[in-house]
Structures are given as structure tokens and as C-alpha cells.
PDB file of all heavy atoms in Angstrom:
ATOM      1  N   ASN M  11     111.097 117.570 110.576  1.00 97.00           N
ATOM      2  CA  ASN M  11     109.723 117.058 110.520  1.00 97.00           C
ATOM      3  C   ASN M  11     109.537 116.052 109.384  1.00 97.00           C
ATOM      4  O   ASN M  11     108.501 116.014 108.719  1.00 97.00           O
ATOM      5  CB  ASN M  11     108.732 118.219 110.376  1.00 97.00           C
ATOM      6  CG  ASN M  11     108.530 118.962 111.680  1.00 97.00           C
ATOM      7  OD1 ASN M  11     108.303 118.351 112.721  1.00 97.00           O
ATOM      8  ND2 ASN M  11     108.645 120.288 111.630  1.00 97.00           N
ATOM      9  N   SER M  12     110.563 115.227 109.189  1.00 97.00           N
ATOM     10  CA  SER M  12     110.448 114.152 108.200  1.00 97.00           C
ATOM     11  C   SER M  12     109.450 113.106 108.694  1.00 97.00           C
ATOM     12  O   SER M  12     109.089 113.077 109.877  1.00 97.00           O
ATOM     13  CB  SER M  12     111.812 113.484 107.991  1.00 97.00           C
ATOM     14  OG  SER M  12     112.232 112.825 109.176  1.00 97.00           O
ATOM     15  N   GLY M  13     109.017 112.253 107.797  1.00 97.00           N
ATOM     16  CA  GLY M  13     108.045 111.226 108.174  1.00 97.00           C
ATOM     17  C   GLY M  13     108.543 110.345 109.304  1.00 97.00           C
ATOM     18  O   GLY M  13     107.795 110.017 110.233  1.00 97.00           O
ATOM     19  N   ARG M  14     109.824 109.962 109.256  1.00 97.00           N
ATOM     20  CA  ARG M  14     110.372 109.077 110.286  1.00 97.00           C
ATOM     21  C   ARG M  14     110.466 109.789 111.622  1.00 97.00           C
ATOM     22  O   ARG M  14     110.198 109.198 112.676  1.00 97.00           O
ATOM     23  CB  ARG M  14     111.755 108.575 109.864  1.00 97.00           C
ATOM     24  CG  ARG M  14     112.305 107.456 110.755  1.00 97.00           C
ATOM     25  CD  ARG M  14     111.564 106.163 110.500  1.00 97.00           C
ATOM     26  NE  ARG M  14     111.788 105.156 111.523  1.00 97.00           N
ATOM     27  CZ  ARG M  14     111.222 103.966 111.524  1.00 97.00           C
ATOM     28  NH1 ARG M  14     110.391 103.636 110.545  1.00 97.00           N
ATOM     29  NH2 ARG M  14     111.448 103.097 112.488  1.00 97.00           N
ATOM     30  N   MET M  15     110.868 111.055 111.596  1.00 98.00           N
ATOM     31  CA  MET M  15     110.998 111.803 112.847  1.00 98.00           C
ATOM     32  C   MET M  15     109.630 111.960 113.515  1.00 98.00           C
ATOM     33  O   MET M  15     109.514 111.819 114.740  1.00 98.00           O
ATOM     34  CB  MET M  15     111.614 113.173 112.561  1.00 98.00           C
ATOM     35  CG  MET M  15     112.120 113.890 113.795  1.00 98.00           C
ATOM     36  SD  MET M  15     113.556 113.089 114.551  1.00 98.00           S
ATOM     37  CE  MET M  15     114.377 114.512 115.288  1.00 98.00           C
ATOM     38  N   LYS M  16     108.609 112.212 112.729  1.00 98.00           N
ATOM     39  CA  LYS M  16     107.265 112.353 113.302  1.00 98.00           C
ATOM     40  C   LYS M  16     106.776 111.021 113.866  1.00 98.00           C
ATOM     41  O   LYS M  16     106.133 110.976 114.917  1.00 98.00           O
ATOM     42  CB  LYS M  16     106.293 112.889 112.235  1.00 98.00           C
ATOM     43  CG  LYS M  16     106.583 114.341 111.843  1.00 98.00           C
ATOM     44  CD  LYS M  16     105.497 114.946 110.972  1.00 98.00           C
ATOM     45  CE  LYS M  16     105.520 114.387 109.567  1.00 98.00           C
ATOM     46  NZ  LYS M  16     104.562 115.121 108.678  1.00 98.00           N
ATOM     47  N   PHE M  17     107.097 109.926 113.169  1.00 98.00           N
ATOM     48  CA  PHE M  17     106.749 108.585 113.663  1.00 98.00           C
ATOM     49  C   PHE M  17     107.415 108.319 115.011  1.00 98.00           C
ATOM     50  O   PHE M  17     106.794 107.769 115.931  1.00 98.00           O
ATOM     51  CB  PHE M  17     107.176 107.542 112.640  1.00 98.00           C
ATOM     52  CG  PHE M  17     107.221 106.135 113.171  1.00 98.00           C
ATOM     53  CD1 PHE M  17     106.054 105.388 113.332  1.00 98.00           C
ATOM     54  CD2 PHE M  17     108.433 105.550 113.533  1.00 98.00           C
ATOM     55  CE1 PHE M  17     106.100 104.088 113.838  1.00 98.00           C
ATOM     56  CE2 PHE M  17     108.492 104.256 114.028  1.00 98.00           C
ATOM     57  CZ  PHE M  17     107.318 103.529 114.184  1.00 98.00           C
ATOM     58  N   ILE M  18     108.680 108.686 115.143  1.00 98.00           N
ATOM     59  CA  ILE M  18     109.416 108.463 116.388  1.00 98.00           C
ATOM     60  C   ILE M  18     108.762 109.231 117.538  1.00 98.00           C
ATOM     61  O   ILE M  18     108.545 108.687 118.629  1.00 98.00           O
ATOM     62  CB  ILE M  18     110.892 108.891 116.217  1.00 98.00           C
ATOM     63  CG1 ILE M  18     111.610 107.945 115.255  1.00 98.00           C
ATOM     64  CG2 ILE M  18     111.612 108.923 117.569  1.00 98.00           C
ATOM     65  CD1 ILE M  18     112.971 108.450 114.798  1.00 98.00           C
ATOM     66  N   ARG M  19     108.448 110.501 117.304  1.00 98.00           N
ATOM     67  CA  ARG M  19     107.818 111.306 118.363  1.00 98.00           C
ATOM     68  C   ARG M  19     106.471 110.708 118.785  1.00 98.00           C
ATOM     69  O   ARG M  19     106.181 110.588 119.985  1.00 98.00           O
ATOM     70  CB  ARG M  19     107.633 112.742 117.873  1.00 98.00           C
ATOM     71  CG  ARG M  19     108.938 113.506 117.639  1.00 98.00           C
ATOM     72  CD  ARG M  19     108.661 114.962 117.327  1.00 98.00           C
ATOM     73  NE  ARG M  19     109.880 115.674 116.948  1.00 98.00           N
ATOM     74  CZ  ARG M  19     110.099 116.232 115.760  1.00 98.00           C
ATOM     75  NH1 ARG M  19     109.161 116.167 114.810  1.00 98.00           N
ATOM     76  NH2 ARG M  19     111.225 116.858 115.505  1.00 98.00           N
ATOM     77  N   LYS M  20     105.651 110.342 117.807  1.00 98.00           N
ATOM     78  CA  LYS M  20     104.336 109.773 118.138  1.00 98.00           C
ATOM     79  C   LYS M  20     104.474 108.472 118.922  1.00 98.00           C
ATOM     80  O   LYS M  20     103.733 108.223 119.874  1.00 98.00           O
ATOM     81  CB  LYS M  20     103.521 109.534 116.851  1.00 98.00           C
ATOM     82  CG  LYS M  20     103.017 110.795 116.191  1.00 98.00           C
ATOM     83  CD  LYS M  20     101.996 110.494 115.101  1.00 98.00           C
ATOM     84  CE  LYS M  20     102.614 109.699 113.967  1.00 98.00           C
ATOM     85  NZ  LYS M  20     101.621 109.426 112.887  1.00 98.00           N
ATOM     86  N   SER M  21     105.424 107.643 118.527  1.00 98.00           N
ATOM     87  CA  SER M  21     105.642 106.369 119.222  1.00 98.00           C
ATOM     88  C   SER M  21     106.035 106.604 120.674  1.00 98.00           C
ATOM     89  O   SER M  21     105.544 105.933 121.584  1.00 98.00           O
ATOM     90  CB  SER M  21     106.728 105.554 118.510  1.00 98.00           C
ATOM     91  OG  SER M  21     106.341 105.250 117.183  1.00 98.00           O
ATOM     92  N   MET M  22     106.941 107.550 120.905  1.00 98.00           N
ATOM     93  CA  MET M  22     107.378 107.827 122.269  1.00 98.00           C
ATOM     94  C   MET M  22     106.244 108.383 123.121  1.00 98.00           C
ATOM     95  O   MET M  22     106.112 108.031 124.303  1.00 98.00           O
ATOM     96  CB  MET M  22     108.551 108.815 122.245  1.00 98.00           C
ATOM     97  CG  MET M  22     109.844 108.213 121.717  1.00 98.00           C
ATOM     98  SD  MET M  22     111.207 109.396 121.771  1.00 98.00           S
ATOM     99  CE  MET M  22     112.567 108.337 121.235  1.00 98.00           C
ATOM    100  N   LEU M  23     105.424 109.230 122.541  1.00 97.00           N
ATOM    101  CA  LEU M  23     104.303 109.803 123.291  1.00 97.00           C
ATOM    102  C   LEU M  23     103.268 108.743 123.656  1.00 97.00           C
ATOM    103  O   LEU M  23     102.511 108.915 124.617  1.00 97.00           O
ATOM    104  CB  LEU M  23     103.648 110.921 122.470  1.00 97.00           C
ATOM    105  CG  LEU M  23     104.486 112.190 122.293  1.00 97.00           C
ATOM    106  CD1 LEU M  23     103.782 113.165 121.361  1.00 97.00           C
ATOM    107  CD2 LEU M  23     104.776 112.856 123.637  1.00 97.00           C
ATOM    108  N   ASN M  24     103.264 107.646 122.902  1.00 96.00           N
ATOM    109  CA  ASN M  24     102.319 106.561 123.168  1.00 96.00           C
ATOM    110  C   ASN M  24     102.983 105.340 123.804  1.00 96.00           C
ATOM    111  O   ASN M  24     102.402 104.255 123.840  1.00 96.00           O
ATOM    112  CB  ASN M  24     101.621 106.161 121.870  1.00 96.00           C
ATOM    113  CG  ASN M  24     100.624 107.210 121.394  1.00 96.00           C
ATOM    114  OD1 ASN M  24      99.534 107.329 121.953  1.00 96.00           O
ATOM    115  ND2 ASN M  24     101.005 107.987 120.389  1.00 96.00           N
ATOM    116  N   ASP M  25     104.225 105.532 124.290  1.00 97.00           N
ATOM    117  CA  ASP M  25     104.956 104.491 125.017  1.00 97.00           C
ATOM    118  C   ASP M  25     105.083 103.203 124.208  1.00 97.00           C
ATOM    119  O   ASP M  25     104.865 102.100 124.707  1.00 97.00           O
ATOM    120  CB  ASP M  25     104.266 104.209 126.362  1.00 97.00           C
ATOM    121  CG  ASP M  25     105.140 103.385 127.298  1.00 97.00           C
ATOM    122  OD1 ASP M  25     106.354 103.303 127.040  1.00 97.00           O
ATOM    123  OD2 ASP M  25     104.604 102.824 128.267  1.00 97.00           O
ATOM    124  N   ARG M  26     105.470 103.369 122.927  1.00 97.00           N
ATOM    125  CA  ARG M  26     105.667 102.209 122.055  1.00 97.00           C
ATOM    126  C   ARG M  26     107.152 102.031 121.754  1.00 97.00           C
ATOM    127  O   ARG M  26     107.833 102.996 121.386  1.00 97.00           O
ATOM    128  CB  ARG M  26     104.893 102.371 120.742  1.00 97.00           C
ATOM    129  CG  ARG M  26     103.380 102.313 120.879  1.00 97.00           C
ATOM    130  CD  ARG M  26     102.728 102.042 119.519  1.00 97.00           C
ATOM    131  NE  ARG M  26     103.056 103.075 118.549  1.00 97.00           N
ATOM    132  CZ  ARG M  26     102.273 104.110 118.250  1.00 97.00           C
ATOM    133  NH1 ARG M  26     101.103 104.259 118.866  1.00 97.00           N
ATOM    134  NH2 ARG M  26     102.647 105.005 117.353  1.00 97.00           N
ATOM    135  N   GLN M  27     107.655 100.817 121.889  1.00 97.00           N
ATOM    136  CA  GLN M  27     109.029 100.547 121.511  1.00 97.00           C
ATOM    137  C   GLN M  27     109.156 100.548 119.992  1.00 97.00           C
ATOM    138  O   GLN M  27     108.257 100.092 119.282  1.00 97.00           O
ATOM    139  CB  GLN M  27     109.494  99.195 122.062  1.00 97.00           C
ATOM    140  CG  GLN M  27     109.748  99.202 123.554  1.00 97.00           C
ATOM    141  CD  GLN M  27     110.621  98.034 123.981  1.00 97.00           C
ATOM    142  OE1 GLN M  27     110.959  97.154 123.195  1.00 97.00           O
ATOM    143  NE2 GLN M  27     110.995  98.034 125.252  1.00 97.00           N
ATOM    144  N   ILE M  28     110.287 101.070 119.500  1.00 97.00           N
ATOM    145  CA  ILE M  28     110.527 101.149 118.066  1.00 97.00           C
ATOM    146  C   ILE M  28     111.954 100.679 117.780  1.00 97.00           C
ATOM    147  O   ILE M  28     112.840 100.773 118.637  1.00 97.00           O
ATOM    148  CB  ILE M  28     110.332 102.590 117.540  1.00 97.00           C
ATOM    149  CG1 ILE M  28     111.119 103.592 118.398  1.00 97.00           C
ATOM    150  CG2 ILE M  28     108.862 102.947 117.496  1.00 97.00           C
ATOM    151  CD1 ILE M  28     111.039 105.026 117.903  1.00 97.00           C
ATOM    152  N   PRO M  29     112.205 100.155 116.568  1.00 97.00           N
ATOM    153  CA  PRO M  29     113.548  99.633 116.260  1.00 97.00           C
ATOM    154  C   PRO M  29     114.630 100.695 116.303  1.00 97.00           C
ATOM    155  O   PRO M  29     115.793 100.375 116.551  1.00 97.00           O
ATOM    156  CB  PRO M  29     113.380  99.055 114.851  1.00 97.00           C
ATOM    157  CG  PRO M  29     112.151  99.692 114.298  1.00 97.00           C
ATOM    158  CD  PRO M  29     111.254  99.937 115.464  1.00 97.00           C
ATOM    159  N   ASP M  30     114.269 101.939 116.073  1.00 97.00           N
ATOM    160  CA  ASP M  30     115.245 103.027 116.093  1.00 97.00           C
ATOM    161  C   ASP M  30     116.016 103.072 117.407  1.00 97.00           C
ATOM    162  O   ASP M  30     117.191 103.446 117.443  1.00 97.00           O
ATOM    163  CB  ASP M  30     114.549 104.380 115.889  1.00 97.00           C
ATOM    164  CG  ASP M  30     113.573 104.378 114.739  1.00 97.00           C
ATOM    165  OD1 ASP M  30     112.600 103.590 114.797  1.00 97.00           O
ATOM    166  OD2 ASP M  30     113.758 105.155 113.785  1.00 97.00           O
ATOM    167  N   CYS M  31     115.356 102.687 118.492  1.00 97.00           N
ATOM    168  CA  CYS M  31     115.908 102.874 119.838  1.00 97.00           C
ATOM    169  C   CYS M  31     116.392 101.576 120.482  1.00 97.00           C
ATOM    170  O   CYS M  31     116.586 101.506 121.698  1.00 97.00           O
ATOM    171  CB  CYS M  31     114.861 103.532 120.733  1.00 97.00           C
ATOM    172  SG  CYS M  31     114.221 105.094 120.084  1.00 97.00           S
ATOM    173  N   ARG M  32     116.620 100.545 119.682  1.00 95.00           N
ATOM    174  CA  ARG M  32     116.942  99.226 120.236  1.00 95.00           C
ATOM    175  C   ARG M  32     118.210  99.234 121.075  1.00 95.00           C
ATOM    176  O   ARG M  32     118.323  98.474 122.046  1.00 95.00           O
ATOM    177  CB  ARG M  32     117.084  98.210 119.108  1.00 95.00           C
ATOM    178  CG  ARG M  32     118.269  98.440 118.182  1.00 95.00           C
ATOM    179  CD  ARG M  32     118.550  97.279 117.250  1.00 95.00           C
ATOM    180  NE  ARG M  32     119.680  97.545 116.370  1.00 95.00           N
ATOM    181  CZ  ARG M  32     120.948  97.327 116.694  1.00 95.00           C
ATOM    182  NH1 ARG M  32     121.242  96.816 117.892  1.00 95.00           N
ATOM    183  NH2 ARG M  32     121.929  97.595 115.847  1.00 95.00           N
ATOM    184  N   ARG M  33     119.180 100.067 120.731  1.00 94.00           N
ATOM    185  CA  ARG M  33     120.439 100.072 121.472  1.00 94.00           C
ATOM    186  C   ARG M  33     120.237 100.531 122.913  1.00 94.00           C
ATOM    187  O   ARG M  33     120.778  99.937 123.851  1.00 94.00           O
ATOM    188  CB  ARG M  33     121.463 100.972 120.776  1.00 94.00           C
ATOM    189  CG  ARG M  33     122.025 100.383 119.487  1.00 94.00           C
ATOM    190  CD  ARG M  33     122.889 101.391 118.781  1.00 94.00           C
ATOM    191  NE  ARG M  33     123.726 100.789 117.748  1.00 94.00           N
ATOM    192  CZ  ARG M  33     124.497 101.483 116.926  1.00 94.00           C
ATOM    193  NH1 ARG M  33     124.531 102.804 117.010  1.00 94.00           N
ATOM    194  NH2 ARG M  33     125.233 100.868 116.024  1.00 94.00           N
ATOM    195  N   CYS M  34     119.478 101.590 123.097  1.00 96.00           N
ATOM    196  CA  CYS M  34     119.206 102.057 124.466  1.00 96.00           C
ATOM    197  C   CYS M  34     118.402 101.018 125.245  1.00 96.00           C
ATOM    198  O   CYS M  34     118.655 100.778 126.425  1.00 96.00           O
ATOM    199  CB  CYS M  34     118.481 103.401 124.451  1.00 96.00           C
ATOM    200  SG  CYS M  34     119.592 104.821 124.231  1.00 96.00           S
ATOM    201  N   TYR M  35     117.414 100.401 124.578  1.00 95.00           N
ATOM    202  CA  TYR M  35     116.638  99.365 125.262  1.00 95.00           C
ATOM    203  C   TYR M  35     117.561  98.263 125.779  1.00 95.00           C
ATOM    204  O   TYR M  35     117.474  97.836 126.938  1.00 95.00           O
ATOM    205  CB  TYR M  35     115.611  98.734 124.316  1.00 95.00           C
ATOM    206  CG  TYR M  35     114.592  99.664 123.704  1.00 95.00           C
ATOM    207  CD1 TYR M  35     114.020  99.368 122.460  1.00 95.00           C
ATOM    208  CD2 TYR M  35     114.184 100.834 124.343  1.00 95.00           C
ATOM    209  CE1 TYR M  35     113.078 100.202 121.879  1.00 95.00           C
ATOM    210  CE2 TYR M  35     113.242 101.676 123.764  1.00 95.00           C
ATOM    211  CZ  TYR M  35     112.696 101.350 122.526  1.00 95.00           C
ATOM    212  OH  TYR M  35     111.763 102.171 121.944  1.00 95.00           O
ATOM    213  N   GLU M  36     118.470  97.794 124.912  1.00 91.00           N
ATOM    214  CA  GLU M  36     119.343  96.678 125.281  1.00 91.00           C
ATOM    215  C   GLU M  36     120.307  97.067 126.394  1.00 91.00           C
ATOM    216  O   GLU M  36     120.522  96.303 127.340  1.00 91.00           O
ATOM    217  CB  GLU M  36     120.125  96.192 124.059  1.00 91.00           C
ATOM    218  CG  GLU M  36     120.995  94.980 124.352  1.00 91.00           C
ATOM    219  CD  GLU M  36     121.637  94.373 123.119  1.00 91.00           C
ATOM    220  OE1 GLU M  36     121.368  94.864 121.991  1.00 91.00           O
ATOM    221  OE2 GLU M  36     122.407  93.404 123.277  1.00 91.00           O
ATOM    222  N   LEU M  37     120.883  98.253 126.301  1.00 90.00           N
ATOM    223  CA  LEU M  37     121.824  98.689 127.324  1.00 90.00           C
ATOM    224  C   LEU M  37     121.141  98.898 128.672  1.00 90.00           C
ATOM    225  O   LEU M  37     121.688  98.558 129.728  1.00 90.00           O
ATOM    226  CB  LEU M  37     122.523  99.972 126.881  1.00 90.00           C
ATOM    227  CG  LEU M  37     123.529  99.809 125.730  1.00 90.00           C
ATOM    228  CD1 LEU M  37     124.025 101.171 125.263  1.00 90.00           C
ATOM    229  CD2 LEU M  37     124.695  98.931 126.137  1.00 90.00           C
ATOM    230  N   GLU M  38     119.938  99.443 128.641  1.00 92.00           N
ATOM    231  CA  GLU M  38     119.219  99.656 129.902  1.00 92.00           C
ATOM    232  C   GLU M  38     118.823  98.339 130.542  1.00 92.00           C
ATOM    233  O   GLU M  38     118.777  98.224 131.774  1.00 92.00           O
ATOM    234  CB  GLU M  38     118.002 100.555 129.659  1.00 92.00           C
ATOM    235  CG  GLU M  38     118.387 102.003 129.394  1.00 92.00           C
ATOM    236  CD  GLU M  38     117.195 102.908 129.139  1.00 92.00           C
ATOM    237  OE1 GLU M  38     116.084 102.599 129.618  1.00 92.00           O
ATOM    238  OE2 GLU M  38     117.371 103.944 128.457  1.00 92.00           O
ATOM    239  N   GLU M  39     118.554  97.330 129.735  1.00 89.00           N
ATOM    240  CA  GLU M  39     118.279  95.999 130.286  1.00 89.00           C
ATOM    241  C   GLU M  39     119.497  95.437 131.019  1.00 89.00           C
ATOM    242  O   GLU M  39     119.364  94.631 131.940  1.00 89.00           O
ATOM    243  CB  GLU M  39     117.867  95.038 129.164  1.00 89.00           C
ATOM    244  CG  GLU M  39     116.452  95.261 128.653  1.00 89.00           C
ATOM    245  CD  GLU M  39     116.113  94.336 127.498  1.00 89.00           C
ATOM    246  OE1 GLU M  39     116.955  93.472 127.164  1.00 89.00           O
ATOM    247  OE2 GLU M  39     115.010  94.478 126.924  1.00 89.00           O
ATOM    248  N   SER M  40     120.697  95.876 130.611  1.00 81.00           N
ATOM    249  CA  SER M  40     121.928  95.437 131.263  1.00 81.00           C
ATOM    250  C   SER M  40     122.316  96.351 132.420  1.00 81.00           C
ATOM    251  O   SER M  40     123.397  96.213 132.982  1.00 81.00           O
ATOM    252  CB  SER M  40     123.075  95.392 130.241  1.00 81.00           C
ATOM    253  OG  SER M  40     122.813  94.440 129.237  1.00 81.00           O
ATOM    254  N   GLY M  41     121.443  97.304 132.739  1.00 83.00           N
ATOM    255  CA  GLY M  41     121.702  98.199 133.863  1.00 83.00           C
ATOM    256  C   GLY M  41     122.515  99.423 133.517  1.00 83.00           C
ATOM    257  O   GLY M  41     122.926 100.168 134.416  1.00 83.00           O
ATOM    258  N   MET M  42     122.780  99.640 132.227  1.00 83.00           N
ATOM    259  CA  MET M  42     123.608 100.763 131.816  1.00 83.00           C
ATOM    260  C   MET M  42     122.790 102.052 131.759  1.00 83.00           C
ATOM    261  O   MET M  42     121.600 102.044 131.433  1.00 83.00           O
ATOM    262  CB  MET M  42     124.211 100.499 130.436  1.00 83.00           C
ATOM    263  CG  MET M  42     125.121  99.287 130.368  1.00 83.00           C
ATOM    264  SD  MET M  42     126.693  99.557 131.192  1.00 83.00           S
ATOM    265  CE  MET M  42     127.509 100.638 130.026  1.00 83.00           C
ATOM    266  N   ARG M  43     123.452 103.158 132.041  1.00 89.00           N
ATOM    267  CA  ARG M  43     122.873 104.481 131.855  1.00 89.00           C
ATOM    268  C   ARG M  43     123.023 104.844 130.385  1.00 89.00           C
ATOM    269  O   ARG M  43     124.077 104.658 129.786  1.00 89.00           O
ATOM    270  CB  ARG M  43     123.589 105.491 132.735  1.00 89.00           C
ATOM    271  CG  ARG M  43     123.087 106.924 132.581  1.00 89.00           C
ATOM    272  CD  ARG M  43     123.850 107.850 133.506  1.00 89.00           C
ATOM    273  NE  ARG M  43     123.585 109.237 133.207  1.00 89.00           N
ATOM    274  CZ  ARG M  43     122.515 109.904 133.601  1.00 89.00           C
ATOM    275  NH1 ARG M  43     121.599 109.277 134.326  1.00 89.00           N
ATOM    276  NH2 ARG M  43     122.335 111.162 133.308  1.00 89.00           N
ATOM    277  N   THR M  44     121.975 105.384 129.769  1.00 94.00           N
ATOM    278  CA  THR M  44     121.985 105.653 128.339  1.00 94.00           C
ATOM    279  C   THR M  44     121.752 107.128 128.030  1.00 94.00           C
ATOM    280  O   THR M  44     121.440 107.937 128.917  1.00 94.00           O
ATOM    281  CB  THR M  44     120.897 104.833 127.623  1.00 94.00           C
ATOM    282  OG1 THR M  44     119.609 105.292 128.078  1.00 94.00           O
ATOM    283  CG2 THR M  44     121.056 103.340 127.900  1.00 94.00           C
TER     284      THR M  44
END
């Protein structure tokens, strides 16, 4: 329950992209399963 972990959960619940997850975003844009 660190500050960053709570930020990540809140962002995901509100459908906001965050820099933490950029790798999955990029791979999924290329059609990859992540």
C-alpha cells in the first residue's frame, strides 16, 4: 500500500494510462499478448 501502488490502482480503476505500464501498451499496439 505504498503511495505509488495506490496511485496505480486508482488509475486503472479510472481507465487512465500511466507510465508504469508503457511496455504492455506498446506491445498490445503491436498485437502481442501481454
Side-chain angles (χ1 to χ4, degrees):
N11 284 312
S12 65
R14 190 73 195 178
M15 195 68 151
K16 291 190 287 187
F17 164 78
I18 292 168
R19 293 187 187 117
K20 288 192 296 181
S21 299
M22 289 182 175
L23 291 175
N24 288 285
D25 193 16
R26 291 198 300 262
Q27 286 199 354
I28 50 177
D30 313 61
C31 305
R32 67 168 179 86
R33 287 173 165 175
C34 278
Y35 301 152
E36 183 172 357
L37 289 173
E38 288 180 26
E39 285 177 4
S40 296
M42 298 288 286
R43 178 179 169 80
T44 65

